[in-house]
Amino acid sequence: MAHEYDVVIIGGGTGGYVAAIRASQLGLKTAIVEKEALGGTCLHKGCIPSKALLRSAQVFSTVKQSEDFGVETEKAILNFKKVQQRKAGIVDRLYKGVQHLMKKGKIDVYDGFGRILGPSIFSPLPGTVSVEMTDGSENEMLVPKNVIIATGSRTKSLPGLDIDGTYIITSDEALEMEQLPRSMIIIGGGVIGIEWASMLADFGVEVTILEYAEQLLPSEDQEVSKELERLFKKKKINVVTRAKVQPDTFMKDGGFAKISAEVDGRFKEFTGEKILVAVGRNPNSDNIGLQNTDIELDNGFIKVNEYYQTKESHIYAIGDVIGGLQLAHAASHEGIKAAEHIAGEDPSPIIYDHVPRCIYSTPEIAGVGLTEDEAKEKGFKVKTGKFSFQAIGKALIFGETDGFVKIVSDEDTNDILGVHMIGPNVTDLISEAGFARVLDATAWEISQTIHPHPSLGEVMGEAALAVDGRAIHI
C-alpha cells in the first residue's frame, strides 16, 4: 500500500527528528523512517551516553579531591555497573521524550530501513521511499513530494586494522563496556579520542593517545591544543603526536593488545588491554538507493546547496551524511532550514563560522569562528586578547583554575573573528561568543556587557578588554 506525504525523512537522529518537527509545525504531512531507534547516534551511541559517562568520571575525580574542599571521605569507590545504569536511564528518558514529540506533532514513524526508488508507477520522479520493515512485514511504500536524507554516519577504522570488539574497539563498543580496562591505547587525538582519554583517565585507566598530526585537536587553535596537552600530561595521560600507526603490527599477547607507530622516524611499540580507534566517521550514504537518482557524492558525502538540496531538487540531505562539521546541533539547524525551504519560506543560510564546537573533556574546550592561524592565512591583520581562569574568583571557588579564553579580532575593523576556550564549563560559556559572531560584534561590545560577579562568564569580559590591553584583573 502506498502512503502520500509532503515530506519523508530517512533517518530519525537529531537532524532528522528536528526536521520532522519543523515540517509538521509548517503544516506539512510528515513521516520519518528510522531503522534502529529515534534519536539516532547522538542519543544512543554518541553525544548523550558519552557525556553521561564523562559526568560520572568527573564526579569520581572530584570526590577523590574532596579534602581540598574540607570534605573528608574514607575512600571513593567506583561502581561502573551503576555508572552504566545511570547512562542507560538518561538515554531512555530522552528517547521517550523524542517518541512523545513525534506523537505530539502527528508525525508518522516507520520502523525500518528506507531506500529511495527511481521513477516508477508511484511517481515519475525518483524519490518514492520503500521501507523494509523491522518486524518483517511487507514493505511500505511512501510517496512524498520531498525527501530529506538524514542517515548520519558510522564509526570507521584504519585500513588493515579490523574492529574485533574485544581488543580493538570503537566508541560504539566502548560505550557498552561492562568493566573498565586497566589500560587503553587511543588512536586519534580528535574530539572523540580526547573525550574518551579524559574520561578513562579520570576513572583511573592508564591512557596513551596516538595522534598523527603535530598537535592534539588539529583543527582547534594552537594555544588551546598546547594547553590541553599540558593538562593531559598532568593527568598522566601519555600523549604521542606525530605518530603514524602501523596497523600490520597489531598483535595479541597474553591478554594485551600491542601495536607500533612511527614517531619522528623511529618505531615504538605500545601496549594496552584494549585499543580504541577514534579516527573519524564514514557517511551512511550507501545502500539507500542513491544510484536510482542523479544525486552526486564527494568521497561518500552527499553534495548539497546552501538550502540542502541535492542535484535532485526535491531531495534534500542534512547532517553527518553531507560532511562538514558533523555536529548534532548543526544537523538540527540544517534540518530546520531544509524543512522551511520545502515549505516555501526563505530561510537564511547557515554561516558555519558561527557554529560553536564543543569538547566535553576535563578541561572542557570550545571554539567558534577562525583560529588565529586561520585568520592570518585568510589575510586578516589580527589582534588577540587572552585571559586566564586563574584570575577568576568563581574558578578559584570551583577549584578549577586551568585554562583561558582567547579572542581573535580583526585589527582593521575590530570585529571578532573567533573565540577559543579551554577550562571549566566553557561549553556553556561559548554561546555568548556564538551570539557575538552572529551579531558581528567587536571585543569592545562584549566588554560593555556587565558580567555578574562572581561568575565564570567574567572571563569573557576580561578577554574582550585584553584585546585592547585593558584587562582589569591582570
Side-chain angles (χ1 to χ4, degrees):
M1 181 178 176
H3 308 273
E4 295 187 353
Y5 290 94
D6 293 315
V7 58
V8 168
I9 297 154
I10 305 175
T14 312
Y17 84 71
V18 170
I21 291 170
R22 185 64 184 129
S24 175
Q25 289 174 343
L26 292 165
L28 302 176
K29 185 181 180 184
T30 305
I32 195 164
V33 180
E34 171 54 48
K35 67 184 178 72
E36 293 183 1
L38 289 171
T41 295
C42 178
L43 177 53
H44 299 279
K45 297 180 181 178
C47 319
I48 299 302
S50 64
K51 276 48 173 187
L53 295 184
L54 276 160
R55 178 58 181 155
S56 290
Q58 290 160 359
V59 170
F60 183 55
S61 178
T62 299
V63 170
K64 289 191 289 185
Q65 301 167 35
S66 65
E67 286 192 17
D68 294 343
F69 296 84
V71 179
E72 296 182 0
T73 57
E74 288 188 12
K75 186 180 179 182
I77 299 173
L78 179 67
N79 185 329
F80 194 65
K81 183 178 180 180
K82 286 188 176 180
V83 168
Q84 288 285 34
Q85 288 172 346
R86 178 178 184 270
K87 176 205 76 178
I90 292 168
V91 170
D92 185 60
R93 180 171 176 176
L94 291 172
Y95 174 51
K96 288 175 180 174
V98 176
Q99 291 176 307
H100 169 73
L101 291 172
M102 296 301 99
K103 291 177 182 176
K104 179 183 175 184
K106 295 183 172 60
I107 297 161
D108 292 337
V109 178
Y110 292 85
D111 296 323
F113 193 96
R115 291 183 180 86
I116 297 172
L117 303 181
S120 64
I121 58 171
F122 300 106
S123 172
L125 295 174
T128 296
V129 177
S130 173
V131 184
E132 183 182 331
M133 301 301 289
T134 302
D135 63 8
S137 60
E138 184 179 350
N139 282 21
E140 296 281 2
M141 291 294 173
L142 313 184
V143 186
K145 295 175 184 175
N146 298 276
V147 176
I148 298 177
I149 301 169
T151 48
S153 64
R154 61 189 182 276
T155 58
K156 69 178 182 180
S157 187
L158 294 174
L161 194 62
D162 296 331
I163 306 301
D164 63 16
T166 302
Y167 289 96
I168 304 175
I169 63 175
T170 68
S171 57
D172 286 355
E173 293 79 26
L175 283 168
E176 301 306 319
M177 290 188 297
E178 294 182 358
Q179 60 184 31
L180 291 167
R182 286 170 292 176
S183 56
M184 180 81 81
I185 299 167
I186 298 176
I187 300 176
V191 175
I192 295 171
I194 292 304
E195 289 188 347
W196 276 98
S198 173
M199 176 207 307
L200 292 169
D202 283 345
F203 276 142
V205 176
E206 182 184 308
V207 176
T208 295
I209 302 176
L210 304 179
E211 167 54 42
Y212 180 77
E214 292 189 0
Q215 66 178 48
L216 299 176
L217 300 174
S219 61
E220 295 301 327
D221 190 86
Q222 194 175 89
E223 285 191 85
V224 169
S225 296
K226 285 181 178 178
E227 177 72 351
L228 175 65
E229 184 171 340
R230 181 184 76 81
L231 295 175
F232 265 19
K233 288 178 177 177
K234 192 175 172 182
K235 279 178 179 275
K236 298 183 180 178
I237 295 173
N238 181 23
V239 177
V240 184
T241 54
R242 301 183 297 278
K244 186 177 181 181
V245 173
Q246 308 295 305
D248 60 349
T249 66
F250 165 71
M251 61 180 292
K252 294 174 275 189
D253 184 8
F256 288 88
K258 292 187 175 183
I259 198 162
S260 295
E262 183 182 351
V263 184
D264 295 332
R266 294 185 178 184
F267 288 89
K268 295 184 179 180
E269 186 178 71
F270 300 90
T271 302
E273 281 194 21
K274 293 181 184 292
I275 297 173
L276 172 61
V277 182
V279 292
R281 300 181 66 84
N282 283 324
N284 291 327
S285 58
D286 48 343
N287 201 29
I288 58 172
L290 298 187
Q291 73 276 9
N292 300 320
T293 74
D294 289 331
I295 292 172
E296 296 178 342
L297 300 177
D298 182 6
N299 291 321
F301 295 102
I302 297 175
K303 295 174 71 172
V304 296
N305 65 15
E306 61 186 354
Y307 299 112
Y308 307 102
Q309 291 171 292
T310 66
K311 196 171 181 183
E312 302 275 7
S313 61
H314 63 295
I315 302 178
Y316 294 65
I318 62 168
D320 283 11
V321 76
I322 68 172
L325 292 178
Q326 293 193 309
L327 297 171
H329 47 284
S332 295
H333 281 267
E334 289 165 359
I336 290 169
K337 299 291 184 183
E340 290 175 349
H341 194 260
I342 288 169
E345 298 197 355
D346 187 22
S348 57
I350 293 173
I351 300 173
Y352 285 93
D353 270 356
H354 295 173
V355 180
R357 309 174 300 276
C358 295
I359 303 165
Y360 297 83
S361 52
T362 301
E364 290 189 345
I365 297 158
V368 63
L370 301 177
T371 66
E372 183 176 355
D373 287 343
E374 287 170 342
K376 289 176 178 176
E377 288 169 7
K378 288 179 178 290
F380 289 102
K381 193 175 179 182
V382 166
K383 59 180 179 179
T384 64
K386 183 177 168 184
F387 199 84
S388 170
F389 279 102
Q390 291 182 0
I392 299 297
K394 189 70 173 286
L396 284 163
I397 292 165
F398 276 11
E400 298 179 42
T401 57
D402 288 317
F404 56 82
V405 169
K406 175 181 176 180
I407 295 178
V408 180
S409 291
D410 182 345
E411 191 170 314
D412 293 330
T413 65
N414 291 317
D415 289 341
I416 292 173
L417 301 173
V419 181
H420 310 282
M421 306 177 172
I422 179 169
N425 293 40
V426 297
T427 59
D428 297 313
L429 300 180
I430 196 63
S431 292
E432 180 180 1
F435 188 44
R437 289 286 293 134
V438 169
L439 295 180
D440 226 4
T442 65
W444 178 85
E445 287 168 320
I446 292 292
S447 74
Q448 295 305 295
T449 302
I450 299 176
H451 296 82
H453 175 77
S455 70
L456 294 175
E458 289 178 277
V459 73
M460 267 295 288
E462 290 279 14
L465 288 168
V467 170
D468 294 310
R470 298 187 296 119
I472 301 297
H473 293 94
I474 193 170

mmCIF file of all heavy atoms in Angstrom, residues 328-357:
data_model
loop_
_atom_site.group_PDB
_atom_site.id
_atom_site.type_symbol
_atom_site.label_atom_id
_atom_site.label_comp_id
_atom_site.label_asym_id
_atom_site.label_seq_id
_atom_site.Cartn_x
_atom_site.Cartn_y
_atom_site.Cartn_z
ATOM 1 N N ALA A 328 25.812 17.542 16.152
ATOM 2 C CA ALA A 328 24.368 17.347 16.314
ATOM 3 C C ALA A 328 23.610 18.662 16.196
ATOM 4 O O ALA A 328 22.554 18.728 15.551
ATOM 5 C CB ALA A 328 24.084 16.682 17.660
ATOM 6 N N HIS A 329 24.130 19.721 16.840
ATOM 7 C CA HIS A 329 23.391 20.990 16.802
ATOM 8 C C HIS A 329 23.417 21.611 15.410
ATOM 9 O O HIS A 329 22.477 22.297 15.018
ATOM 10 C CB HIS A 329 23.909 21.971 17.867
ATOM 11 C CG HIS A 329 25.385 22.120 17.944
ATOM 12 N ND1 HIS A 329 26.201 21.174 18.521
ATOM 13 C CD2 HIS A 329 26.216 23.114 17.539
ATOM 14 C CE1 HIS A 329 27.462 21.582 18.474
ATOM 15 N NE2 HIS A 329 27.496 22.748 17.868
ATOM 16 N N ALA A 330 24.467 21.347 14.640
ATOM 17 C CA ALA A 330 24.489 21.820 13.255
ATOM 18 C C ALA A 330 23.452 21.055 12.438
ATOM 19 O O ALA A 330 22.700 21.645 11.649
ATOM 20 C CB ALA A 330 25.875 21.641 12.653
ATOM 21 N N ALA A 331 23.384 19.736 12.634
ATOM 22 C CA ALA A 331 22.413 18.921 11.901
ATOM 23 C C ALA A 331 20.983 19.366 12.187
ATOM 24 O O ALA A 331 20.137 19.429 11.283
ATOM 25 C CB ALA A 331 22.587 17.451 12.274
ATOM 26 N N SER A 332 20.686 19.678 13.452
ATOM 27 C CA SER A 332 19.345 20.137 13.811
ATOM 28 C C SER A 332 18.966 21.392 13.045
ATOM 29 O O SER A 332 17.858 21.498 12.498
ATOM 30 C CB SER A 332 19.272 20.414 15.318
ATOM 31 O OG SER A 332 19.434 19.239 16.061
ATOM 32 N N HIS A 333 19.881 22.344 12.993
ATOM 33 C CA HIS A 333 19.583 23.600 12.301
ATOM 34 C C HIS A 333 19.527 23.405 10.792
ATOM 35 O O HIS A 333 18.742 24.070 10.095
ATOM 36 C CB HIS A 333 20.586 24.669 12.703
ATOM 37 C CG HIS A 333 20.279 25.280 14.034
ATOM 38 N ND1 HIS A 333 19.524 26.420 14.181
ATOM 39 C CD2 HIS A 333 20.563 24.872 15.280
ATOM 40 C CE1 HIS A 333 19.386 26.701 15.466
ATOM 41 N NE2 HIS A 333 20.014 25.769 16.147
ATOM 42 N N GLU A 334 20.334 22.477 10.265
ATOM 43 C CA GLU A 334 20.230 22.149 8.838
ATOM 44 C C GLU A 334 18.847 21.566 8.540
ATOM 45 O O GLU A 334 18.233 21.897 7.511
ATOM 46 C CB GLU A 334 21.328 21.153 8.461
ATOM 47 C CG GLU A 334 22.719 21.767 8.452
ATOM 48 C CD GLU A 334 23.835 20.740 8.450
ATOM 49 O OE1 GLU A 334 23.551 19.524 8.477
ATOM 50 O OE2 GLU A 334 25.019 21.152 8.426
ATOM 51 N N GLY A 335 18.359 20.720 9.434
ATOM 52 C CA GLY A 335 17.028 20.145 9.264
ATOM 53 C C GLY A 335 15.937 21.199 9.261
ATOM 54 O O GLY A 335 14.980 21.135 8.475
ATOM 55 N N ILE A 336 16.071 22.172 10.151
ATOM 56 C CA ILE A 336 15.095 23.270 10.211
ATOM 57 C C ILE A 336 15.115 24.070 8.916
ATOM 58 O O ILE A 336 14.058 24.386 8.338
ATOM 59 C CB ILE A 336 15.398 24.183 11.422
ATOM 60 C CG1 ILE A 336 15.064 23.442 12.731
ATOM 61 C CG2 ILE A 336 14.613 25.491 11.326
ATOM 62 C CD1 ILE A 336 15.574 24.138 13.973
ATOM 63 N N LYS A 337 16.312 24.390 8.423
ATOM 64 C CA LYS A 337 16.430 25.164 7.177
ATOM 65 C C LYS A 337 15.835 24.392 6.000
ATOM 66 O O LYS A 337 15.140 24.966 5.154
ATOM 67 C CB LYS A 337 17.894 25.488 6.902
ATOM 68 C CG LYS A 337 18.580 26.329 7.971
ATOM 69 C CD LYS A 337 18.059 27.743 8.032
ATOM 70 C CE LYS A 337 18.844 28.574 9.049
ATOM 71 N NZ LYS A 337 18.323 29.947 9.185
ATOM 72 N N ALA A 338 16.118 23.088 5.938
ATOM 73 C CA ALA A 338 15.585 22.277 4.837
ATOM 74 C C ALA A 338 14.063 22.237 4.875
ATOM 75 O O ALA A 338 13.395 22.405 3.839
ATOM 76 C CB ALA A 338 16.160 20.862 4.914
ATOM 77 N N ALA A 339 13.495 22.035 6.074
ATOM 78 C CA ALA A 339 12.036 21.987 6.209
ATOM 79 C C ALA A 339 11.408 23.319 5.805
ATOM 80 O O ALA A 339 10.366 23.350 5.126
ATOM 81 C CB ALA A 339 11.657 21.622 7.643
ATOM 82 N N GLU A 340 12.020 24.404 6.217
ATOM 83 C CA GLU A 340 11.488 25.728 5.878
ATOM 84 C C GLU A 340 11.571 25.987 4.379
ATOM 85 O O GLU A 340 10.658 26.577 3.779
ATOM 86 C CB GLU A 340 12.232 26.802 6.666
ATOM 87 C CG GLU A 340 11.913 26.768 8.157
ATOM 88 C CD GLU A 340 12.718 27.741 8.993
ATOM 89 O OE1 GLU A 340 13.700 28.321 8.456
ATOM 90 O OE2 GLU A 340 12.376 27.937 10.167
ATOM 91 N N HIS A 341 12.634 25.534 3.744
ATOM 92 C CA HIS A 341 12.762 25.720 2.297
ATOM 93 C C HIS A 341 11.709 24.896 1.558
ATOM 94 O O HIS A 341 11.098 25.365 0.584
ATOM 95 C CB HIS A 341 14.171 25.327 1.842
ATOM 96 C CG HIS A 341 14.500 25.790 0.457
ATOM 97 N ND1 HIS A 341 14.439 24.957 -0.628
ATOM 98 C CD2 HIS A 341 14.880 27.009 -0.012
ATOM 99 C CE1 HIS A 341 14.779 25.636 -1.723
ATOM 100 N NE2 HIS A 341 15.058 26.881 -1.378
ATOM 101 N N ILE A 342 11.473 23.683 2.012
ATOM 102 C CA ILE A 342 10.439 22.837 1.419
ATOM 103 C C ILE A 342 9.064 23.506 1.539
ATOM 104 O O ILE A 342 8.249 23.445 0.616
ATOM 105 C CB ILE A 342 10.420 21.454 2.103
ATOM 106 C CG1 ILE A 342 11.647 20.648 1.677
ATOM 107 C CG2 ILE A 342 9.138 20.686 1.790
ATOM 108 C CD1 ILE A 342 11.871 19.385 2.486
ATOM 109 N N ALA A 343 8.822 24.170 2.660
ATOM 110 C CA ALA A 343 7.529 24.818 2.909
ATOM 111 C C ALA A 343 7.367 26.131 2.147
ATOM 112 O O ALA A 343 6.335 26.794 2.271
ATOM 113 C CB ALA A 343 7.352 25.060 4.405
ATOM 114 N N GLY A 344 8.375 26.513 1.373
ATOM 115 C CA GLY A 344 8.273 27.727 0.567
ATOM 116 C C GLY A 344 8.704 28.985 1.272
ATOM 117 O O GLY A 344 8.487 30.093 0.761
ATOM 118 N N GLU A 345 9.305 28.840 2.433
ATOM 119 C CA GLU A 345 9.831 30.014 3.122
ATOM 120 C C GLU A 345 11.196 30.374 2.539
ATOM 121 O O GLU A 345 11.715 29.677 1.662
ATOM 122 C CB GLU A 345 9.909 29.740 4.625
ATOM 123 C CG GLU A 345 8.547 29.449 5.249
ATOM 124 C CD GLU A 345 8.543 29.586 6.757
ATOM 125 O OE1 GLU A 345 9.621 29.819 7.344
ATOM 126 O OE2 GLU A 345 7.453 29.456 7.349
ATOM 127 N N ASP A 346 11.792 31.421 3.021
ATOM 128 C CA ASP A 346 13.079 31.884 2.501
ATOM 129 C C ASP A 346 14.088 31.930 3.646
ATOM 130 O O ASP A 346 14.468 33.014 4.118
ATOM 131 C CB ASP A 346 12.923 33.265 1.855
ATOM 132 C CG ASP A 346 14.197 33.728 1.154
ATOM 133 O OD1 ASP A 346 15.017 32.855 0.801
ATOM 134 O OD2 ASP A 346 14.370 34.949 0.991
ATOM 135 N N PRO A 347 14.532 30.759 4.126
ATOM 136 C CA PRO A 347 15.429 30.747 5.279
ATOM 137 C C PRO A 347 16.809 31.291 4.929
ATOM 138 O O PRO A 347 17.300 31.104 3.812
ATOM 139 C CB PRO A 347 15.513 29.261 5.633
ATOM 140 C CG PRO A 347 15.259 28.555 4.342
ATOM 141 C CD PRO A 347 14.266 29.404 3.609
ATOM 142 N N SER A 348 17.411 31.970 5.878
ATOM 143 C CA SER A 348 18.780 32.454 5.660
ATOM 144 C C SER A 348 19.733 31.281 5.826
ATOM 145 O O SER A 348 19.590 30.486 6.761
ATOM 146 C CB SER A 348 19.123 33.555 6.662
ATOM 147 O OG SER A 348 18.957 33.090 7.986
ATOM 148 N N PRO A 349 20.699 31.127 4.925
ATOM 149 C CA PRO A 349 21.633 30.008 5.014
ATOM 150 C C PRO A 349 22.457 30.058 6.301
ATOM 151 O O PRO A 349 22.707 31.131 6.857
ATOM 152 C CB PRO A 349 22.536 30.188 3.786
ATOM 153 C CG PRO A 349 21.737 31.027 2.841
ATOM 154 C CD PRO A 349 20.931 31.936 3.708
ATOM 155 N N ILE A 350 22.863 28.884 6.769
ATOM 156 C CA ILE A 350 23.715 28.807 7.952
ATOM 157 C C ILE A 350 25.114 29.302 7.605
ATOM 158 O O ILE A 350 25.677 28.941 6.570
ATOM 159 C CB ILE A 350 23.793 27.353 8.470
ATOM 160 C CG1 ILE A 350 22.429 26.908 9.003
ATOM 161 C CG2 ILE A 350 24.854 27.218 9.563
ATOM 162 C CD1 ILE A 350 22.369 25.437 9.380
ATOM 163 N N ILE A 351 25.662 30.132 8.470
ATOM 164 C CA ILE A 351 27.063 30.554 8.343
ATOM 165 C C ILE A 351 27.854 29.675 9.311
ATOM 166 O O ILE A 351 27.747 29.814 10.526
ATOM 167 C CB ILE A 351 27.234 32.048 8.680
ATOM 168 C CG1 ILE A 351 26.381 32.897 7.735
ATOM 169 C CG2 ILE A 351 28.707 32.461 8.600
ATOM 170 C CD1 ILE A 351 26.349 34.370 8.083
ATOM 171 N N TYR A 352 28.625 28.757 8.773
ATOM 172 C CA TYR A 352 29.244 27.738 9.618
ATOM 173 C C TYR A 352 30.324 28.294 10.542
ATOM 174 O O TYR A 352 30.644 27.665 11.563
ATOM 175 C CB TYR A 352 29.754 26.584 8.765
ATOM 176 C CG TYR A 352 28.610 25.712 8.291
ATOM 177 C CD1 TYR A 352 28.003 25.937 7.055
ATOM 178 C CD2 TYR A 352 28.084 24.724 9.108
ATOM 179 C CE1 TYR A 352 26.928 25.172 6.641
ATOM 180 C CE2 TYR A 352 26.996 23.958 8.712
ATOM 181 C CZ TYR A 352 26.430 24.180 7.476
ATOM 182 O OH TYR A 352 25.351 23.431 7.084
ATOM 183 N N ASP A 353 30.859 29.458 10.216
ATOM 184 C CA ASP A 353 31.799 30.113 11.136
ATOM 185 C C ASP A 353 31.107 30.554 12.427
ATOM 186 O O ASP A 353 31.767 30.907 13.400
ATOM 187 C CB ASP A 353 32.438 31.336 10.475
ATOM 188 C CG ASP A 353 33.721 30.973 9.749
ATOM 189 O OD1 ASP A 353 34.136 29.799 9.832
ATOM 190 O OD2 ASP A 353 34.312 31.856 9.093
ATOM 191 N N HIS A 354 29.776 30.560 12.443
ATOM 192 C CA HIS A 354 29.018 30.974 13.625
ATOM 193 C C HIS A 354 28.594 29.783 14.497
ATOM 194 O O HIS A 354 27.951 29.981 15.524
ATOM 195 C CB HIS A 354 27.756 31.735 13.204
ATOM 196 C CG HIS A 354 28.046 33.035 12.517
ATOM 197 N ND1 HIS A 354 27.052 33.808 11.940
ATOM 198 C CD2 HIS A 354 29.202 33.705 12.302
ATOM 199 C CE1 HIS A 354 27.589 34.890 11.406
ATOM 200 N NE2 HIS A 354 28.889 34.845 11.609
ATOM 201 N N VAL A 355 28.936 28.574 14.062
ATOM 202 C CA VAL A 355 28.508 27.371 14.794
ATOM 203 C C VAL A 355 29.570 26.997 15.836
ATOM 204 O O VAL A 355 30.713 26.727 15.485
ATOM 205 C CB VAL A 355 28.286 26.191 13.838
ATOM 206 C CG1 VAL A 355 27.852 24.949 14.620
ATOM 207 C CG2 VAL A 355 27.241 26.546 12.778
ATOM 208 N N PRO A 356 29.207 26.962 17.116
ATOM 209 C CA PRO A 356 30.177 26.594 18.160
ATOM 210 C C PRO A 356 30.572 25.120 18.081
ATOM 211 O O PRO A 356 29.775 24.269 17.698
ATOM 212 C CB PRO A 356 29.433 26.878 19.470
ATOM 213 C CG PRO A 356 28.282 27.755 19.096
ATOM 214 C CD PRO A 356 27.921 27.371 17.701
ATOM 215 N N ARG A 357 31.822 24.858 18.436
ATOM 216 C CA ARG A 357 32.350 23.495 18.533
ATOM 217 C C ARG A 357 32.678 23.236 20.003
ATOM 218 O O ARG A 357 33.329 24.053 20.646
ATOM 219 C CB ARG A 357 33.623 23.335 17.707
ATOM 220 C CG ARG A 357 33.494 23.826 16.265
ATOM 221 C CD ARG A 357 34.821 23.769 15.534
ATOM 222 N NE ARG A 357 35.855 24.583 16.158
ATOM 223 C CZ ARG A 357 36.024 25.882 15.960
ATOM 224 N NH1 ARG A 357 35.192 26.539 15.162
ATOM 225 N NH2 ARG A 357 37.006 26.532 16.553
#
